[in-house]
Amino acid sequence: MNDHYLKKLDRVTAILTQLQSRPLVRAQDLAKKFEVSIRTIYRDIKTLENAGIPIVGEAGSGYSLMDGYKLPPVMFTKEEVLSFITAEKLMQNFSDQSLGIHHQNAMEKLRSVLRHSDKNLIQSIEKKVDIFNYPPVSGEHIKNVIPIIMESIAEKRQLTIEYRTVDEKISTRTVEVVGVFFEFNYWYFMAFCTLRNDFRQFRIDRIRQIMKTQNPFLQEYGQINDYRSKPNGNKTRVRLMVDKKIVGHLVNSKKYYGIIEEILHEEGIEMIFETDWIEEGFPRWLITFADYAKVLEPDSLRSKIRELAERILNRL
């Protein structure tokens, strides 16, 4: 069997897996995924149909398996089996506790359909892989909080939350969740807040109570990154001149604090930010490398840094 037919066999098998895992699959998406023409995808679909696979749909709309049709368990490659180990370790270290339990249950089901040799492979290597992570200690924890949030997204139902802000104030919010994300050791969700009539970012470990309501979303939402990247009227423009030798250590954190532009100068790197956390978070981050940075604007940030430095000195 030549390479052409081997590639086609692999692609057709992968298309069948896509049909098993999704309610509707478009030819355009398959063509992009496998880097072939749409006409090639049409031929592959025809190959599956000729093999007796009951595919519903047509060119131009999308394809799916006939409702109720079942296929035997998928066989995994050795590389795929090994990837499960890494995924399991990541979930153990970086997921919400309740989400991790659900993933662990799913992994047990997955292990049950593996071949005997693959089970032995996992058992022999899983103790050889670890992820060293030092997550921050959270306060009160609510069971199933992330699954509840995800259910509200899927069902397009509003949530009511009791939320503790960074200054320890408690407020009750009704929100419509756009999406969930993990960043800098914390889980967050982006949502439209009906109290503020605007989009807000909430840290999940600060939720004290959560309840899914029967109220539907008042509007449709896109992808989470569409809203995380949108500036709002509360952002403050900050300009810093930063020593070149320290910039490399700010690669990840500068994105978190709203970097929008960097300009190379002879005396350093001018870093321009738009930040929501000018009152507290940004000054505390800046003071960690303040001996290598100069505040160009705003003047209020210079005052905050001085006040923060004085408070630190008074505690020494």
Side-chain angles (χ1 to χ4, degrees):
M1 188 177 293
N2 61 36
D3 288 346
H4 170 75
Y5 288 106
L6 283 174
K7 288 179 180 178
K8 179 175 180 177
L9 178 60
D10 289 342
R11 188 175 63 249
V12 169
T13 303
I15 290 173
L16 181 55
T17 301
Q18 292 285 308
L19 289 168
Q20 287 180 265
S21 60
R22 299 173 183 273
L24 188 71
V25 180
R26 299 191 312 158
Q28 301 95 303
D29 297 331
L30 291 173
K32 183 177 180 181
K33 178 178 178 64
F34 298 110
E35 298 180 344
V36 296
S37 69
I38 294 179
R39 185 178 294 277
T40 297
I41 296 298
Y42 292 158
R43 288 197 291 264
D44 291 341
I45 293 293
K46 190 65 177 177
T47 299
L48 288 169
E49 290 176 332
N50 291 339
I53 306 298
I55 297 175
V56 179
E58 58 184 24
S61 57
Y63 301 99
S64 62
L65 290 178
M66 183 180 292
D67 191 32
Y69 179 74
K70 300 293 183 183
L71 288 167
V74 176
M75 301 305 291
F76 298 101
T77 66
K78 183 181 294 185
E79 291 78 12
E80 289 168 342
V81 170
L82 292 173
S83 74
F84 297 152
I85 299 172
T86 306
E88 188 170 21
K89 297 292 182 179
L90 286 167
M91 287 297 293
Q92 289 171 357
N93 282 273
F94 292 100
S95 71
D96 168 84
Q97 185 178 4
S98 59
L99 199 61
I101 292 172
H102 294 311
H103 182 267
Q104 185 178 0
N105 293 337
M107 281 296 297
E108 289 301 322
K109 293 177 182 178
L110 188 149
R111 287 172 189 252
S112 70
V113 301
L114 293 177
R115 292 172 297 190
H116 184 72
S117 59
D118 290 336
K119 292 177 184 178
N120 289 338
L121 178 64
I122 285 184
Q123 188 172 5
S124 65
I125 203 170
E126 63 183 347
K127 300 298 184 183
K128 309 293 185 182
V129 179
D130 208 343
I131 295 170
F132 298 104
N133 178 42
Y134 304 94
V137 178
S138 298
E140 298 182 31
H141 183 77
I142 303 172
K143 290 184 178 180
N144 291 319
V145 60
I146 293 183
I148 290 172
I149 292 171
M150 289 183 171
E151 285 175 11
S152 80
I153 297 172
E155 298 172 6
K156 298 183 179 181
R157 300 285 180 181
Q158 293 180 343
L159 290 175
T160 297
I161 62 171
E162 189 177 286
Y163 189 74
R164 175 175 57 85
T165 62
V166 68
D167 54 359
E168 300 299 323
K169 294 180 180 178
I170 304 297
S171 66
T172 300
R173 310 284 187 94
T174 298
V175 297
E176 299 180 358
V177 184
V178 174
V180 180
F181 64 96
F182 183 85
E183 189 171 56
F184 294 97
N185 277 336
Y186 288 102
W187 280 96
Y188 297 82
F189 69 85
M190 180 67 69
F192 180 81
C193 176
T194 59
L195 178 65
R196 304 300 185 196
N197 197 33
D198 200 358
F199 292 94
R200 290 291 186 269
Q201 178 174 302
F202 299 89
R203 216 171 80 184
I204 286 177
D205 67 307
R206 290 184 179 151
I207 297 175
R208 297 171 63 97
Q209 297 291 336
I210 185 168
M211 183 181 69
K212 190 170 60 173
T213 75
Q214 295 302 310
N215 302 327
F217 282 4
L218 301 177
Q219 55 187 312
E220 291 289 331
Y221 301 103
Q223 298 179 4
I224 184 171
N225 287 336
D226 297 338
Y227 300 91
R228 291 190 67 204
S229 61
K230 279 184 179 179
N232 62 48
N234 298 321
K235 290 186 182 293
T236 300
R237 180 182 173 88
V238 174
R239 291 172 56 238
L240 306 176
M241 185 63 71
V242 182
D243 195 312
K244 295 175 185 177
K245 65 183 177 183
I246 197 68
V247 170
H249 297 285
L250 308 176
V251 172
N252 292 320
S253 57
K254 67 185 181 183
K255 296 178 183 177
Y256 181 74
Y257 286 98
I259 187 76
I260 60 170
E261 188 177 1
E262 292 180 90
I263 304 171
L264 178 63
H265 296 273
E266 186 176 342
E267 64 272 31
I269 305 291
E270 181 183 349
M271 303 178 74
I272 303 174
F273 299 81
E274 286 186 351
T275 180
D276 289 312
W277 301 298
I278 193 65
E279 295 296 327
E280 188 72 20
F282 197 96
R284 290 186 179 279
W285 173 65
L286 175 56
I287 206 167
T288 63
F289 62 95
D291 52 334
Y292 292 100
K294 179 181 179 181
V295 177
L296 302 180
E297 67 170 272
D299 292 338
S300 61
L301 180 57
R302 297 193 193 96
S303 301
K304 293 179 189 301
I305 291 293
R306 292 192 189 99
E307 293 171 6
L308 185 56
E310 288 175 4
R311 291 205 300 269
I312 293 171
L313 286 172
N314 289 336
R315 286 181 173 272
L316 296 178

